[in-house]
Amino acid sequence: MKKKVLSAILSVAMAATLLVGCGSAAEEAPAAATEEAAPAEEAPAEEAEAPAEEEAAPAEEAAAGGGTYAFVSKSAGNPFNERQATGFEEAVADLGGTAIIQHPEAPTADAQITVIQSLISQGVDSICVAANDENALQAALEEAAAAGIKVCSVDSTVNVASRLTHVNQAGVTEIGQCLMDAVYDITGGEGQWAILSATSQAANQNAWIESMKEIQAADSKYANLELVEVAYGDDEPQKSTDQTQALLQNYPDLKVICAPTTVGIAAAAKVLQDQGSSVKLTGLGLPSEMAEYIGDDDAHSCPYMFLWNPIDLGRLGAYTSAALVSGEITGAEGDKFTAGDMGDYEIVKAGDGGTEIILGAPFKFDPSNIEEWKEVY
């Protein structure tokens, strides 16, 4: 109950802000939606016993409750995905369905394929996956779709052939602009900077990184900034720690590391702060993990960072899954649906030619608000 209250509080608080360029501090969190809808009618959860080859439950049955909705994270121990899973479970419970949460043992495509094949055998109604590889899951997810399972991705997308739609945190360009402007601000507009990413196959990370590169190349404002390396910590704390130490050793003139991954930014923050490094950090992080590193003085490694609400992202993934199963949406551009008390959403065209649903804009966490938000998530 406490998690539901916190998530609801966060959703309401986030409804008031829209960051423009994300270059200055915000006082409120971004909106997932601006209208409140009536909650779905609850009904007792039912077990899904149909074999994999049967079609998904009829629309009227799914709308009235029941159904089995699966969430596949990137890996066990990923705190961002764990909070997504919390939101996913909450929304499925509100719908009167059954949630199956699967955390693969390793952040690899092979580990996710094993999980997906198991879910096909169980005959779930939907699969919502945060992909470790954009393309490698295609065969497994096409097999799921052939079995009548509705497939969407969340957080990190799969290719268009593998999904009906994607649930995205924020627009790629908006994220790229926020991060690029943060690098510019913290470096003073000149000097060397590096990126510490997750895996080299992570579609969301790659899209944000490419956006940052394009923004830097297109505007002479960034001409005195030098991107020296994109390092990959594979969303593993130890490897992210090792990659941060290697960046410090290899680039003695480095000024800023940008880590657009919650695992990477937490590992890098600890390395920089423990070593008393002059190198600063920004990126995407969880407030609860990053509070001790956020500060605008030499004693803190991260002046500020960005993120969105992973709990609400998971909730939106669940509501999207349910709408696909019920037939309320098909994943086509222009489809609209109500995501419980989060409000109304519309499916829009995605940059890869498919479609997506966007939760909201990134939110800036800095010394003025980190103590408040670390208690929320």
Side-chain angles (χ1 to χ4, degrees):
M1 180 62 71
K2 182 178 180 181
K3 290 181 180 177
K4 289 186 179 180
V5 172
L6 289 175
S7 183
I9 292 172
L10 186 57
S11 294
V12 173
M14 286 187 173
T17 190
L18 178 62
L19 300 181
V20 181
C22 300
S24 61
E27 296 299 327
E28 298 152 338
T34 57
E35 297 179 359
E36 188 170 27
E41 181 180 349
E42 294 188 1
E46 298 177 1
E47 293 291 335
E49 299 294 344
E53 63 268 19
E54 289 187 5
E55 293 297 323
E60 59 270 18
E61 178 183 327
T68 304
Y69 309 97
F71 170 73
V72 181
S73 73
K74 291 183 176 181
S75 66
N78 184 312
F80 184 85
N81 281 170
E82 288 172 355
R83 285 162 176 81
Q84 277 182 278
T86 296
F88 189 92
E89 286 184 295
E90 289 177 355
V92 170
D94 288 341
L95 290 165
T98 299
I100 296 179
I101 306 299
Q102 292 289 321
H103 297 297
E105 293 183 0
T108 65
D110 287 344
Q112 289 188 316
I113 289 170
T114 299
V115 168
I116 291 166
Q117 290 172 336
S118 173
L119 292 170
I120 294 171
S121 298
Q122 295 175 56
V124 298
D125 292 300
S126 68
I127 294 175
C128 183
V129 57
N132 285 320
D133 188 297
E134 182 177 8
N135 299 309
L137 305 183
Q138 182 172 336
L141 292 176
E142 286 181 340
E143 182 182 349
I149 298 170
K150 303 300 183 182
V151 176
C152 66
S153 52
V154 64
D155 177 21
S156 184
T157 189
V158 292
N159 63 32
V160 175
S162 305
R163 72 178 199 259
L164 292 172
T165 193
H166 174 61
V167 181
N168 207 350
Q169 303 97 327
V172 169
T173 301
E174 288 82 0
I175 296 171
Q177 189 70 62
C178 282
L179 297 178
M180 196 65 239
D181 283 344
V183 170
Y184 180 88
D185 176 44
I186 297 170
T187 60
E190 61 182 10
Q192 295 183 344
W193 67 288
I195 294 172
L196 175 63
S197 185
T199 68
S200 60
Q201 296 85 26
N204 59 345
Q205 299 281 312
N206 291 339
W208 300 333
I209 292 167
E210 188 61 29
S211 177
M212 293 178 73
K213 290 179 178 178
E214 290 174 356
I215 290 168
Q216 181 176 2
D219 194 335
S220 60
K221 167 184 175 180
Y222 309 108
N224 293 323
L225 289 171
E226 179 188 2
L227 175 59
V228 294
E229 185 177 339
V230 178
Y232 298 97
D234 291 348
D235 263 354
E236 296 178 355
Q238 187 56 55
K239 186 170 183 180
S240 297
T241 296
D242 295 342
Q243 289 292 324
T244 302
Q245 292 170 335
L247 288 172
L248 296 179
Q249 181 176 350
N250 295 336
Y251 305 101
D253 295 327
L254 190 66
K255 296 181 75 173
V256 167
I257 296 173
C258 180
T261 160
T262 59
V263 176
I265 196 172
K270 180 171 174 49
V271 171
L272 297 178
Q273 198 149 304
D274 286 353
Q275 295 187 8
S277 175
S278 62
V279 176
K280 294 299 182 182
L281 178 70
T282 192
L284 306 176
L286 289 165
S288 58
E289 294 188 335
M290 288 294 293
E292 65 182 294
Y293 306 111
I294 299 289
D296 52 11
D297 55 20
D298 292 339
H300 294 85
S301 56
C302 183
Y304 56 86
M305 65 175 192
F306 302 90
L307 199 63
W308 33 84
N309 182 0
I311 298 172
D312 278 351
L313 187 61
R315 293 177 70 214
L316 186 56
Y319 285 121
T320 299
S321 296
L324 288 168
V325 170
S326 72
E328 185 178 1
I329 60 174
T330 64
E333 182 180 356
D335 280 358
K336 298 179 181 180
F337 68 105
T338 298
D341 60 3
M342 297 178 72
D344 297 331
Y345 284 84
E346 180 175 353
I347 298 179
V348 299
K349 186 175 181 179
D352 62 0
T355 63
E356 66 182 4
I357 303 147
I358 297 176
L359 175 66
F363 178 67
K364 184 177 181 180
F365 297 96
D366 60 24
S368 72
N369 60 24
I370 192 65
E371 290 301 314
E372 171 188 359
W373 288 102
K374 76 176 184 180
E375 303 298 332
V376 179
Y377 72 103

